[in-house]
Amino acid sequence: MRGAATGLIWELKRHPFFEAISEDNLKGLLDHAQPVVFGARKQIFAQGDDSDCLYIILSGRVKISSYSDAGKETVLAFMGENEVLGELGVFDGGERSATATALQETRALRLYRRDVLDFLDRNPGVALQIISALCLRLRHTNFLLEDIATLPAGPRLARALMRIGEHYGHHDDDGALHIDMKLSQGNLGAHAGLMRENVNRQLKLWEAEGLVRQEGGVIVINDPESFAKIGEE
C-alpha cells in the first residue's frame, strides 16, 4: 500500500500493537498491505484454516468465534477500527484458532506472513511490544471464560454488555451508554454463554425496569454506573 495516509498511521499508533513502531517503519510495513472488503456476514477465515496473513481493520465490525466439536459457538471477542485480526497464527505458523466473520461491511488491510516476519527480522525491538499486546488479548479472553464459568445469567450478560460498550460505545449528554454495534441476541448470547431466549428474557426485564432501551437495533444502557453494579453481584 504505497503512500499510506498520514492519518491512518496516526490512528494505528494509538493501538498497543503498533505504538512501539516508528512512523517510518510503520509506513514501510503498510507499503506491503493490500486493501480488501468483506460483505456483511462474510467469513474472513475459519477455525482450522492455514494462517498466511493478518488483517488491520479500517472500518466495520468483526466477531471472533470458537466452535466446539458439537458445533456450539462461543463469541470470544468483537473487533473494530484499527484492531489487528489473525496475528496469532501468522506468528506461530499454526492453524487459525478461531473463526472471524464480518458483522457488517468491513474494510481492512491484508498483510502476508512473509512480509510481517521479514519486518520483525529487521525490527526485533518491536517484538516485545507485540507480545505485550497479545498477552493483553489473552487476559481478556481468560476474563470472558471465567465469567461464563462462574457467574449467573444476569451478571454475566451485564458484564458482557459493559465490556462491549466500553470498547465500542459512546456516552450521550445524559450519560447513557450507546453500544455502537447492532448485536443480534444470538451473537450476544454466544458471547455471554447464554441461550438467545435467555438474553431476550433478561433484556425485556431490564427494559421494564428502565435500565436499558433499544434504539434502531442498538442497545442503550441508561445508567451505566448502576448497571455495572449488576455485574458485581
Side-chain angles (χ1 to χ4, degrees):
M1 181 182 174
R2 296 289 172 184
T6 302
L8 172 60
I9 292 175
W10 184 83
E11 288 290 342
L12 292 178
K13 289 280 290 178
R14 300 168 62 190
H15 190 277
F17 195 91
F18 297 107
E19 64 183 2
I21 306 177
S22 71
E23 290 190 12
D24 286 343
N25 284 341
L26 182 54
K27 181 181 181 299
L29 178 63
L30 293 179
D31 280 344
H32 295 284
Q34 301 175 355
V36 291
V37 179
F38 299 98
R41 297 179 295 280
K42 177 72 174 180
Q43 189 179 90
I44 300 172
F45 54 74
Q47 187 173 329
D49 284 353
D50 291 335
S51 303
D52 64 342
C53 63
L54 59 76
Y55 298 89
I56 302 169
I57 302 172
L58 300 179
S59 66
R61 291 286 186 266
V62 175
K63 71 171 178 176
I64 310 300
S65 305
S66 176
Y67 292 87
S68 69
D69 292 339
K72 181 181 179 182
E73 179 186 22
T74 298
V75 177
L76 301 174
F78 298 98
M79 303 186 73
E81 290 87 346
N82 302 322
E83 294 190 285
V84 180
L85 174 65
E87 74 284 5
L88 182 59
V90 164
F91 294 135
D92 70 8
E95 296 178 343
R96 299 291 190 189
S97 59
T99 295
T101 307
L103 293 175
Q104 61 191 67
E105 183 176 277
T106 297
R107 296 169 51 250
L109 297 176
R110 179 167 54 202
L111 278 165
Y112 283 99
R113 184 170 189 262
R114 61 179 181 272
D115 296 318
V116 176
L117 296 184
D118 179 65
F119 173 80
L120 291 178
D121 282 341
R122 290 183 285 107
N123 300 274
V126 175
L128 288 177
Q129 189 68 29
I130 290 176
I131 290 171
S132 177
L134 290 174
C135 289
L136 180 61
R137 184 172 296 177
L138 179 59
R139 287 179 184 274
H140 288 163
T141 301
N142 287 341
F143 291 147
L144 167 66
L145 297 178
E146 182 180 346
D147 286 353
I148 291 175
T150 62
L151 292 178
R156 195 189 315 170
L157 184 58
R159 280 199 189 188
L161 286 171
M162 289 299 299
R163 183 165 53 239
I164 298 169
E166 287 168 358
H167 284 88
Y168 308 109
H170 73 276
H171 293 270
D172 62 23
D173 293 339
D174 295 325
L177 177 60
H178 296 244
I179 298 177
D180 298 330
M181 186 188 309
K182 290 187 177 181
L183 290 169
S184 71
Q185 292 181 356
N187 281 332
L188 185 53
H191 184 54
L194 298 169
M195 298 293 290
R196 186 196 64 79
E197 294 79 4
N198 292 335
V199 172
N200 179 269
R201 185 181 306 114
Q202 187 63 67
L203 287 176
K204 285 184 176 179
L205 286 173
W206 285 337
E207 286 186 75
E209 295 171 1
L211 294 172
V212 303
R213 66 181 189 272
Q214 299 194 50
E215 296 181 352
V218 170
I219 296 174
V220 181
I221 301 172
N222 294 322
D223 183 353
E225 184 174 348
S226 297
F227 190 78
K229 293 178 181 179
I230 298 175
E232 300 171 0
E233 294 177 358

